[in-house]
Amino acid sequence: QKEVEQDPGPLSVPEGAIVSLNCTYSNSAFQYFMWYRQYSRKGPELLMYTYSSGNKEDGRFTAQVDKSSKYISLFIRDSQPSDSATYLCAMSEYRDKLIFGTGTRLQVFP
Amino acid sequence: GAVVSQHPSWVICKSGTSVKIECRSLDFQATTMFWYRQFPKQSLMLMATSNEGSKATYEQGVEKDKFLINHASLTLSTLTVTSAHPEDSSFYICSAKPPSASYEQYFGPGTRLTVT
């Protein structure tokens, strides 16, 4: 079993839709949770960071962490074609060593 | 925002040769840099962590004699793939962490290595 599981997609939605991206994990010691966006052939860019459980909102993005279920989510409201990218979840015990999911490819069509 | 560059962005080499990839933090000093490898449709896998002026710490299963990492200054780390083989073909990405950052790593754009 992988430490972090993420549906690879692709997920295709119309512009304006609410997008839900999810990851599950097996290591209960993880306490730092992040979402990265990666455009094709580019390095990942940090979108959201959450420590321990709870919700965090930043503009159109909301990150949720449910440690009891070992489940994290990223919601994107009013999705735009420019949101089309691969979204990677990442988590760690000690802040430095990040364990990544495989990424979910999102396509937002006009 | 913090910028990390990598050079080259794309390299083709013949089997048995060595390739050096550079990672630079352009507008901040990075006491810690990380090297990742990403195969198609797979997640980024941490290869090693390097701290300026000390030996790199390699993850389990990564051959330190094959993947030589040097972090000679606070803005430059290099990864040398020695005696490259086709199975080393991958996307190599570095990240850098400023001393003031508690968690954030800034990623470079990646280097695509193809070994023929």
Side-chain angles (χ1 to χ4, degrees):
Chain A
Q1 182 188 9
K2 291 181 181 178
E3 278 193 286
V4 179
E5 298 275 1
Q6 184 175 10
D7 188 331
L11 180 62
S12 186
V13 301
E15 183 175 356
I18 296 174
V19 175
S20 172
L21 304 166
N22 311 293
C23 287
T24 58
Y25 62 94
S26 57
N27 186 348
S28 58
F30 286 147
Q31 50 183 343
Y32 301 93
F33 304 92
M34 301 162 201
W35 285 95
Y36 286 83
R37 178 174 60 196
Q38 185 178 23
Y39 293 109
S40 181
R41 300 180 183 269
K42 300 292 184 184
E45 170 194 11
L46 181 65
L47 280 178
M48 300 288 287
Y49 161 80
T50 309
Y51 170 71
S52 193
S53 285
N55 295 353
K56 188 171 186 179
E57 188 173 321
D58 184 2
R60 296 184 295 112
F61 298 92
T62 299
Q64 289 185 349
V65 175
D66 182 348
K67 289 191 72 177
S68 63
S69 301
K70 299 190 182 70
Y71 188 88
I72 70 171
S73 300
L74 177 71
F75 297 96
I76 307 174
R77 291 182 298 280
D78 187 25
S79 55
Q80 303 294 311
S82 58
D83 294 328
S84 298
T86 296
Y87 289 80
L88 301 150
C89 63
M91 44 201 81
S92 70
E93 294 180 46
Y94 306 112
R95 294 188 294 202
D96 278 355
K97 182 177 177 179
L98 298 179
I99 308 299
F100 283 86
T102 53
T104 298
R105 190 157 62 93
L106 171 67
Q107 295 173 333
V108 181
F109 56 90
Chain B
V3 180
V4 176
S5 70
Q6 278 184 246
H7 178 79
S9 57
W10 181 53
V11 58
I12 300 175
C13 71
K14 291 187 176 180
S15 186
T17 62
S18 296
V19 175
K20 179 184 284 188
I21 302 170
E22 293 186 348
C23 175
R24 293 181 185 272
S25 55
L26 298 184
D27 50 4
F28 66 97
Q29 292 183 330
T31 51
T32 305
M33 287 185 169
F34 306 87
W35 286 95
Y36 295 82
R37 181 167 53 186
Q38 185 177 32
F39 291 107
K41 299 187 179 181
Q42 295 188 28
S43 58
L44 277 79
M45 298 295 294
L46 179 64
M47 298 175 67
T49 302
S50 73
N51 291 293
E52 186 266 338
S54 62
K55 289 183 179 180
T57 302
Y58 291 81
E59 295 299 305
Q60 190 174 7
V62 178
E63 299 175 60
K64 61 182 181 181
D65 293 331
K66 179 170 184 63
F67 298 98
L68 302 179
I69 292 172
N70 186 292
H71 192 163
S73 77
L74 286 172
T75 60
L76 173 65
S77 176
T78 60
L79 168 68
T80 301
V81 183
T82 62
S83 186
H85 292 286
E87 57 265 31
D88 298 324
S89 298
S90 186
F91 194 51
Y92 292 87
I93 304 179
C94 72
S95 69
K97 183 178 175 183
S100 58
S102 60
Y103 61 88
E104 187 155 3
Q105 298 178 25
Y106 297 95
F107 285 82
T111 296
R112 182 158 302 281
L113 169 63
T114 300
V115 185
T116 60

mmCIF file of all heavy atoms in Angstrom, chain B residues 71-104:
data_model
loop_
_atom_site.group_PDB
_atom_site.id
_atom_site.type_symbol
_atom_site.label_atom_id
_atom_site.label_comp_id
_atom_site.label_asym_id
_atom_site.label_seq_id
_atom_site.Cartn_x
_atom_site.Cartn_y
_atom_site.Cartn_z
ATOM 1 N N HIS B 71 26.543 20.602 -2.444
ATOM 2 C CA HIS B 71 25.862 21.842 -2.060
ATOM 3 C C HIS B 71 26.936 22.789 -1.544
ATOM 4 O O HIS B 71 27.073 22.998 -0.341
ATOM 5 C CB HIS B 71 24.830 21.516 -0.979
ATOM 6 C CG HIS B 71 23.867 22.626 -0.700
ATOM 7 N ND1 HIS B 71 22.681 22.424 -0.034
ATOM 8 C CD2 HIS B 71 23.908 23.939 -0.977
ATOM 9 C CE1 HIS B 71 22.044 23.572 0.089
ATOM 10 N NE2 HIS B 71 22.767 24.499 -0.467
ATOM 11 N N ALA B 72 27.700 23.316 -2.500
ATOM 12 C CA ALA B 72 28.922 24.048 -2.168
ATOM 13 C C ALA B 72 28.674 25.462 -1.660
ATOM 14 O O ALA B 72 29.515 26.044 -0.975
ATOM 15 C CB ALA B 72 29.843 24.096 -3.384
ATOM 16 N N SER B 73 27.526 26.034 -2.007
ATOM 17 C CA SER B 73 27.240 27.391 -1.552
ATOM 18 C C SER B 73 25.781 27.488 -1.155
ATOM 19 O O SER B 73 25.004 26.553 -1.361
ATOM 20 C CB SER B 73 27.550 28.408 -2.652
ATOM 21 O OG SER B 73 26.526 28.401 -3.628
ATOM 22 N N LEU B 74 25.404 28.619 -0.601
ATOM 23 C CA LEU B 74 24.024 28.801 -0.124
ATOM 24 C C LEU B 74 23.038 29.026 -1.258
ATOM 25 O O LEU B 74 21.841 29.139 -1.016
ATOM 26 C CB LEU B 74 23.957 29.977 0.851
ATOM 27 C CG LEU B 74 24.550 29.694 2.231
ATOM 28 C CD1 LEU B 74 24.604 30.974 3.052
ATOM 29 C CD2 LEU B 74 23.728 28.646 2.971
ATOM 30 N N THR B 75 23.536 29.118 -2.496
ATOM 31 C CA THR B 75 22.634 29.325 -3.622
ATOM 32 C C THR B 75 22.782 28.278 -4.725
ATOM 33 O O THR B 75 22.100 28.358 -5.735
ATOM 34 C CB THR B 75 22.869 30.718 -4.258
ATOM 35 O OG1 THR B 75 24.229 30.802 -4.712
ATOM 36 C CG2 THR B 75 22.587 31.830 -3.257
ATOM 37 N N LEU B 76 23.637 27.296 -4.528
ATOM 38 C CA LEU B 76 23.875 26.327 -5.608
ATOM 39 C C LEU B 76 24.021 24.919 -5.067
ATOM 40 O O LEU B 76 24.803 24.663 -4.151
ATOM 41 C CB LEU B 76 25.142 26.711 -6.384
ATOM 42 C CG LEU B 76 25.619 25.706 -7.443
ATOM 43 C CD1 LEU B 76 24.594 25.579 -8.561
ATOM 44 C CD2 LEU B 76 26.977 26.127 -8.001
ATOM 45 N N SER B 77 23.264 24.021 -5.672
ATOM 46 C CA SER B 77 23.442 22.592 -5.428
ATOM 47 C C SER B 77 23.505 21.903 -6.782
ATOM 48 O O SER B 77 22.827 22.318 -7.725
ATOM 49 C CB SER B 77 22.271 22.029 -4.605
ATOM 50 O OG SER B 77 22.411 20.617 -4.440
ATOM 51 N N THR B 78 24.333 20.888 -6.883
ATOM 52 C CA THR B 78 24.437 20.156 -8.142
ATOM 53 C C THR B 78 24.175 18.672 -7.918
ATOM 54 O O THR B 78 24.515 18.120 -6.861
ATOM 55 C CB THR B 78 25.814 20.327 -8.802
ATOM 56 O OG1 THR B 78 26.828 19.840 -7.904
ATOM 57 C CG2 THR B 78 26.095 21.783 -9.136
ATOM 58 N N LEU B 79 23.555 18.070 -8.910
ATOM 59 C CA LEU B 79 23.315 16.627 -8.931
ATOM 60 C C LEU B 79 24.031 16.070 -10.144
ATOM 61 O O LEU B 79 23.778 16.519 -11.272
ATOM 62 C CB LEU B 79 21.819 16.329 -9.030
ATOM 63 C CG LEU B 79 21.422 14.881 -9.342
ATOM 64 C CD1 LEU B 79 21.775 13.959 -8.176
ATOM 65 C CD2 LEU B 79 19.933 14.775 -9.646
ATOM 66 N N THR B 80 24.939 15.141 -9.935
ATOM 67 C CA THR B 80 25.642 14.502 -11.037
ATOM 68 C C THR B 80 25.195 13.052 -11.126
ATOM 69 O O THR B 80 25.345 12.302 -10.143
ATOM 70 C CB THR B 80 27.168 14.570 -10.864
ATOM 71 O OG1 THR B 80 27.572 15.944 -10.779
ATOM 72 C CG2 THR B 80 27.879 13.920 -12.050
ATOM 73 N N VAL B 81 24.643 12.689 -12.261
ATOM 74 C CA VAL B 81 24.265 11.306 -12.507
ATOM 75 C C VAL B 81 25.454 10.647 -13.196
ATOM 76 O O VAL B 81 25.800 10.989 -14.336
ATOM 77 C CB VAL B 81 23.017 11.208 -13.403
ATOM 78 C CG1 VAL B 81 22.601 9.751 -13.583
ATOM 79 C CG2 VAL B 81 21.870 12.026 -12.825
ATOM 80 N N THR B 82 26.110 9.746 -12.500
ATOM 81 C CA THR B 82 27.310 9.128 -13.035
ATOM 82 C C THR B 82 26.964 7.829 -13.762
ATOM 83 O O THR B 82 26.033 7.118 -13.371
ATOM 84 C CB THR B 82 28.321 8.829 -11.923
ATOM 85 O OG1 THR B 82 27.730 7.891 -11.008
ATOM 86 C CG2 THR B 82 28.687 10.091 -11.165
ATOM 87 N N SER B 83 27.708 7.556 -14.825
ATOM 88 C CA SER B 83 27.507 6.339 -15.619
ATOM 89 C C SER B 83 26.015 6.102 -15.854
ATOM 90 O O SER B 83 25.439 5.100 -15.440
ATOM 91 C CB SER B 83 28.129 5.141 -14.897
ATOM 92 O OG SER B 83 28.070 3.979 -15.716
ATOM 93 N N ALA B 84 25.411 7.082 -16.502
ATOM 94 C CA ALA B 84 23.961 7.051 -16.692
ATOM 95 C C ALA B 84 23.529 5.874 -17.565
ATOM 96 O O ALA B 84 24.238 5.474 -18.497
ATOM 97 C CB ALA B 84 23.499 8.361 -17.318
ATOM 98 N N HIS B 85 22.364 5.331 -17.252
ATOM 99 C CA HIS B 85 21.764 4.246 -18.027
ATOM 100 C C HIS B 85 20.348 4.652 -18.419
ATOM 101 O O HIS B 85 19.762 5.558 -17.800
ATOM 102 C CB HIS B 85 21.758 2.960 -17.216
ATOM 103 C CG HIS B 85 23.119 2.400 -16.984
ATOM 104 N ND1 HIS B 85 23.839 1.782 -17.968
ATOM 105 C CD2 HIS B 85 23.915 2.405 -15.876
ATOM 106 C CE1 HIS B 85 25.007 1.403 -17.484
ATOM 107 N NE2 HIS B 85 25.088 1.772 -16.222
ATOM 108 N N PRO B 86 19.781 4.004 -19.415
ATOM 109 C CA PRO B 86 18.427 4.392 -19.853
ATOM 110 C C PRO B 86 17.402 4.428 -18.723
ATOM 111 O O PRO B 86 16.496 5.259 -18.746
ATOM 112 C CB PRO B 86 18.102 3.321 -20.891
ATOM 113 C CG PRO B 86 19.425 2.962 -21.495
ATOM 114 C CD PRO B 86 20.386 3.021 -20.326
ATOM 115 N N GLU B 87 17.550 3.556 -17.736
ATOM 116 C CA GLU B 87 16.580 3.553 -16.626
ATOM 117 C C GLU B 87 16.707 4.786 -15.731
ATOM 118 O O GLU B 87 15.843 5.018 -14.871
ATOM 119 C CB GLU B 87 16.718 2.282 -15.778
ATOM 120 C CG GLU B 87 18.092 2.050 -15.206
ATOM 121 C CD GLU B 87 18.947 1.133 -16.065
ATOM 122 O OE1 GLU B 87 18.768 1.133 -17.309
ATOM 123 O OE2 GLU B 87 19.801 0.432 -15.482
ATOM 124 N N ASP B 88 17.757 5.565 -15.916
ATOM 125 C CA ASP B 88 17.905 6.824 -15.177
ATOM 126 C C ASP B 88 17.139 7.955 -15.847
ATOM 127 O O ASP B 88 17.054 9.060 -15.301
ATOM 128 C CB ASP B 88 19.380 7.217 -15.065
ATOM 129 C CG ASP B 88 20.197 6.197 -14.288
ATOM 130 O OD1 ASP B 88 19.647 5.623 -13.320
ATOM 131 O OD2 ASP B 88 21.363 5.964 -14.652
ATOM 132 N N SER B 89 16.613 7.698 -17.036
ATOM 133 C CA SER B 89 15.833 8.715 -17.736
ATOM 134 C C SER B 89 14.625 9.087 -16.884
ATOM 135 O O SER B 89 13.842 8.227 -16.486
ATOM 136 C CB SER B 89 15.379 8.190 -19.095
ATOM 137 O OG SER B 89 16.491 7.887 -19.922
ATOM 138 N N SER B 90 14.497 10.364 -16.600
ATOM 139 C CA SER B 90 13.432 10.812 -15.703
ATOM 140 C C SER B 90 13.402 12.334 -15.701
ATOM 141 O O SER B 90 14.189 12.994 -16.377
ATOM 142 C CB SER B 90 13.684 10.272 -14.294
ATOM 143 O OG SER B 90 12.601 10.564 -13.431
ATOM 144 N N PHE B 91 12.495 12.868 -14.894
ATOM 145 C CA PHE B 91 12.396 14.302 -14.677
ATOM 146 C C PHE B 91 12.968 14.563 -13.282
ATOM 147 O O PHE B 91 12.460 14.019 -12.299
ATOM 148 C CB PHE B 91 10.907 14.700 -14.751
ATOM 149 C CG PHE B 91 10.641 16.168 -14.870
ATOM 150 C CD1 PHE B 91 11.273 16.936 -15.831
ATOM 151 C CD2 PHE B 91 9.729 16.790 -14.037
ATOM 152 C CE1 PHE B 91 11.014 18.291 -15.952
ATOM 153 C CE2 PHE B 91 9.463 18.151 -14.157
ATOM 154 C CZ PHE B 91 10.104 18.896 -15.108
ATOM 155 N N TYR B 92 14.018 15.339 -13.208
ATOM 156 C CA TYR B 92 14.677 15.620 -11.931
ATOM 157 C C TYR B 92 14.331 17.043 -11.506
ATOM 158 O O TYR B 92 14.528 17.992 -12.266
ATOM 159 C CB TYR B 92 16.193 15.442 -12.055
ATOM 160 C CG TYR B 92 16.593 13.994 -12.262
ATOM 161 C CD1 TYR B 92 16.642 13.444 -13.544
ATOM 162 C CD2 TYR B 92 16.900 13.170 -11.175
ATOM 163 C CE1 TYR B 92 16.977 12.119 -13.739
ATOM 164 C CE2 TYR B 92 17.238 11.844 -11.363
ATOM 165 C CZ TYR B 92 17.275 11.327 -12.639
ATOM 166 O OH TYR B 92 17.605 10.001 -12.825
ATOM 167 N N ILE B 93 13.814 17.171 -10.297
ATOM 168 C CA ILE B 93 13.381 18.478 -9.792
ATOM 169 C C ILE B 93 14.089 18.761 -8.460
ATOM 170 O O ILE B 93 14.171 17.878 -7.607
ATOM 171 C CB ILE B 93 11.859 18.524 -9.558
ATOM 172 C CG1 ILE B 93 11.105 18.168 -10.833
ATOM 173 C CG2 ILE B 93 11.429 19.895 -9.065
ATOM 174 C CD1 ILE B 93 9.597 18.161 -10.662
ATOM 175 N N CYS B 94 14.563 19.981 -8.326
ATOM 176 C CA CYS B 94 15.154 20.373 -7.048
ATOM 177 C C CYS B 94 14.216 21.344 -6.351
ATOM 178 O O CYS B 94 13.345 21.962 -6.979
ATOM 179 C CB CYS B 94 16.526 21.007 -7.232
ATOM 180 S SG CYS B 94 16.468 22.657 -7.958
ATOM 181 N N SER B 95 14.369 21.448 -5.062
ATOM 182 C CA SER B 95 13.671 22.482 -4.309
ATOM 183 C C SER B 95 14.631 23.076 -3.297
ATOM 184 O O SER B 95 15.640 22.453 -2.947
ATOM 185 C CB SER B 95 12.418 21.934 -3.614
ATOM 186 O OG SER B 95 12.781 21.053 -2.567
ATOM 187 N N ALA B 96 14.321 24.280 -2.868
ATOM 188 C CA ALA B 96 15.187 24.975 -1.924
ATOM 189 C C ALA B 96 14.354 25.567 -0.802
ATOM 190 O O ALA B 96 13.222 25.999 -1.022
ATOM 191 C CB ALA B 96 15.962 26.071 -2.644
ATOM 192 N N LYS B 97 14.935 25.566 0.362
ATOM 193 C CA LYS B 97 14.223 26.065 1.535
ATOM 194 C C LYS B 97 15.020 27.187 2.179
ATOM 195 O O LYS B 97 16.173 26.976 2.573
ATOM 196 C CB LYS B 97 14.038 24.917 2.531
ATOM 197 C CG LYS B 97 13.248 25.261 3.756
ATOM 198 C CD LYS B 97 13.087 24.023 4.628
ATOM 199 C CE LYS B 97 12.392 24.374 5.926
ATOM 200 N NZ LYS B 97 12.275 23.211 6.822
ATOM 201 N N PRO B 98 14.422 28.381 2.281
ATOM 202 C CA PRO B 98 15.118 29.479 2.958
ATOM 203 C C PRO B 98 15.239 29.182 4.453
ATOM 204 O O PRO B 98 14.412 28.471 5.011
ATOM 205 C CB PRO B 98 14.198 30.684 2.718
ATOM 206 C CG PRO B 98 13.252 30.260 1.660
ATOM 207 C CD PRO B 98 13.130 28.780 1.753
ATOM 208 N N PRO B 99 16.228 29.748 5.106
ATOM 209 C CA PRO B 99 16.396 29.501 6.551
ATOM 210 C C PRO B 99 15.182 29.925 7.357
ATOM 211 O O PRO B 99 14.865 29.317 8.368
ATOM 212 C CB PRO B 99 17.614 30.355 6.920
ATOM 213 C CG PRO B 99 18.341 30.575 5.639
ATOM 214 C CD PRO B 99 17.299 30.581 4.568
ATOM 215 N N SER B 100 14.477 30.966 6.871
ATOM 216 C CA SER B 100 13.343 31.488 7.627
ATOM 217 C C SER B 100 12.075 30.668 7.448
ATOM 218 O O SER B 100 11.118 30.828 8.194
ATOM 219 C CB SER B 100 13.061 32.930 7.195
ATOM 220 O OG SER B 100 12.798 32.966 5.801
ATOM 221 N N ALA B 101 12.064 29.784 6.460
ATOM 222 C CA ALA B 101 10.842 29.034 6.162
ATOM 223 C C ALA B 101 10.665 27.882 7.143
ATOM 224 O O ALA B 101 11.609 27.140 7.422
ATOM 225 C CB ALA B 101 10.886 28.497 4.735
ATOM 226 N N SER B 102 9.456 27.714 7.621
ATOM 227 C CA SER B 102 9.203 26.594 8.524
ATOM 228 C C SER B 102 8.820 25.345 7.742
ATOM 229 O O SER B 102 9.072 24.240 8.192
ATOM 230 C CB SER B 102 8.081 26.953 9.505
ATOM 231 O OG SER B 102 6.879 27.248 8.787
ATOM 232 N N TYR B 103 8.200 25.537 6.597
ATOM 233 C CA TYR B 103 7.750 24.371 5.857
ATOM 234 C C TYR B 103 7.880 24.527 4.350
ATOM 235 O O TYR B 103 7.966 23.565 3.631
ATOM 236 C CB TYR B 103 6.277 24.084 6.180
ATOM 237 C CG TYR B 103 5.357 25.222 5.791
ATOM 238 C CD1 TYR B 103 4.806 25.294 4.521
ATOM 239 C CD2 TYR B 103 5.044 26.230 6.698
ATOM 240 C CE1 TYR B 103 3.973 26.340 4.154
ATOM 241 C CE2 TYR B 103 4.215 27.276 6.334
ATOM 242 C CZ TYR B 103 3.687 27.331 5.065
ATOM 243 O OH TYR B 103 2.873 28.368 4.721
ATOM 244 N N GLU B 104 7.884 25.754 3.863
ATOM 245 C CA GLU B 104 7.762 25.929 2.419
ATOM 246 C C GLU B 104 9.048 25.621 1.691
ATOM 247 O O GLU B 104 10.117 26.099 2.064
ATOM 248 C CB GLU B 104 7.309 27.342 2.073
ATOM 249 C CG GLU B 104 7.014 27.509 0.581
ATOM 250 C CD GLU B 104 6.030 28.646 0.327
ATOM 251 O OE1 GLU B 104 5.641 29.316 1.280
ATOM 252 O OE2 GLU B 104 5.686 28.842 -0.864
#
